[in-house]
Amino acid sequence: MDPQNTEAKVLLSRAKTFRLHTGNLVNRSRLKKKCPGSTSEEVRSCQRRTAFSSKQCRPVLVRTGFPDVLDCSLPEATETITPEEREELKVSVKLFLCEAGQSAIGDAVDLACQTLAVSQLDSVIIAPPPPLEADQSLAHLQPAWEQLEALVRSQKIAAIGTSDLDKDLLEQLYNWAQVKPSSNQVNLASCCVMPPDLTAFAKDFDIQLLTHSDPKELMSAESFLEAMREGARDQSLSGWRLEWVLRYSVIVKSRGIFKSKGYLVSAKRVDP
């Protein structure tokens, strides 16, 4: 944020929720702009570029006349999906939760649907916040999975999947869940070859194994605030907490190419 930009500073000081949309990054790559080296760098770079300029921040006003939600987007146009082309496209989402909380999942899915102008996401892969203990457990996954199941029943999501589960935990989730996981992502940076027991279990229960290179924490609370400070300069950022980061991709089914790709980020300010 330009320190002289009084309007933008007022918007941020009054907001309770901050949301960022990167725009379609496929457009940016077509323009041959420099691409970040990792997914974490990509989303942080987009956050910095937004710069909280009042030209890019659109306040959602409440009855008091002050913005409750500050909605910031980059200049790249968002390519919404028309009803005529919907059947030809696959809309996939990976949701990185930074804090435990079921409502955040519903908010993220609703915002993704609104951003892309669709009524349903074809698939959502969940990456829950890191557990307090060293090892992840079924109990740690259950609250998020129950919310995903509710969204499947309400037809907001067609299929749901997991990330970085070993065979034992994937089996526990499969046996417990009412809506079964359709996929599980495996990070090959820490595992050069798919574990044979995981491969066998996935094959027996028709679970698609996918690979990814995402870090466990796509954006930390510290890196989010650091990027905020670069734009806010002398603006107080007390109480701001990162909720979630969502990555969406829209693929043309018949050609297997990306039509669009982008990130949505949400943070809330908790008053002391």
Side-chain angles (χ1 to χ4, degrees):
M1 179 192 299
D2 186 336
Q4 304 302 319
N5 192 334
T6 304
E7 181 183 2
K9 294 171 76 171
V10 170
L11 293 178
L12 184 59
S13 68
R14 298 288 184 177
K16 299 296 184 183
T17 300
F18 168 78
R19 288 177 177 169
L20 167 72
H21 179 217
T22 63
N24 183 6
L25 300 183
V26 173
N27 284 345
R28 190 172 70 179
S29 64
R30 287 171 180 164
L31 293 174
K32 298 183 179 180
K33 296 183 180 179
K34 183 179 178 181
C35 295
S38 70
T39 52
S40 292
E41 292 172 2
E42 184 174 54
V43 69
R44 284 198 298 269
S45 172
C46 290
Q47 183 185 352
R48 291 189 181 98
R49 288 184 62 223
T50 305
F52 308 103
S53 163
S54 62
K55 295 180 180 180
Q56 296 171 355
C57 295
R58 300 183 302 276
V60 180
L61 300 179
V62 293
R63 291 182 181 178
T64 61
F66 293 110
D68 181 62
V69 178
L70 187 58
D71 178 13
C72 298
S73 60
L74 292 174
E76 286 84 355
T78 300
E79 294 189 12
T80 56
I81 298 172
T82 65
E84 293 75 20
E85 64 182 346
R86 180 64 182 94
E87 289 299 318
E88 302 300 320
L89 302 173
K90 180 179 180 181
V91 183
S92 300
V93 157
K94 185 170 183 179
L95 178 60
F96 301 83
L97 293 176
C98 304
E99 294 185 347
Q102 295 185 24
S103 62
I105 297 175
D107 291 344
V109 169
D110 286 342
L111 186 59
C113 288
Q114 178 184 338
T115 299
L116 297 172
V118 298
S119 60
Q120 184 184 63
L121 305 176
D122 292 303
S123 69
V124 172
I125 289 175
I126 192 77
L132 297 177
E133 298 80 15
D135 297 324
Q136 197 174 52
S137 67
L138 178 61
H140 179 69
L141 294 171
Q142 285 173 329
W145 198 259
E146 287 174 335
Q147 179 63 17
L148 288 175
E149 290 180 325
L151 291 168
V152 171
R153 286 191 285 269
S154 65
Q155 299 185 342
K156 279 292 186 71
I157 306 173
I160 50 181
T162 58
S163 181
D164 299 316
L165 300 193
D166 60 20
K167 182 264 182 183
D168 291 339
L169 189 50
L170 182 60
E171 183 175 10
Q172 290 176 40
L173 177 64
Y174 187 92
N175 291 335
W176 168 82
Q178 295 183 29
V179 179
K180 308 301 183 183
S182 64
S183 63
N184 179 47
Q185 283 191 336
V186 178
N187 191 334
L188 291 185
S190 59
C191 175
C192 299
V193 180
M194 289 283 187
D197 60 344
L198 178 62
T199 302
F201 179 80
K203 181 178 180 182
D204 289 343
F205 293 92
D206 196 25
I207 299 173
Q208 186 179 15
L209 293 182
L210 307 170
T211 60
H212 77 96
S213 57
D214 298 317
K216 290 184 178 180
E217 195 173 42
L218 186 63
M219 175 184 280
S220 68
E222 292 76 15
S223 63
F224 170 77
L225 288 175
E226 180 184 351
M228 289 267 287
R229 289 187 191 101
E230 289 183 15
R233 302 289 176 86
D234 59 342
Q235 181 72 33
S236 173
L237 298 175
S238 175
W240 281 104
R241 297 168 61 179
L242 182 62
E243 279 194 297
W244 48 262
V245 180
L246 179 149
R247 182 177 63 227
Y248 66 82
S249 59
V250 180
I251 299 175
V252 181
K253 295 178 183 177
S254 60
R255 301 174 62 190
I257 62 171
F258 283 95
K259 180 179 185 290
S260 63
K261 168 191 170 183
Y263 293 89
L264 298 168
V265 180
S266 178
K268 286 189 178 295
R269 185 168 60 186
V270 181
D271 294 327

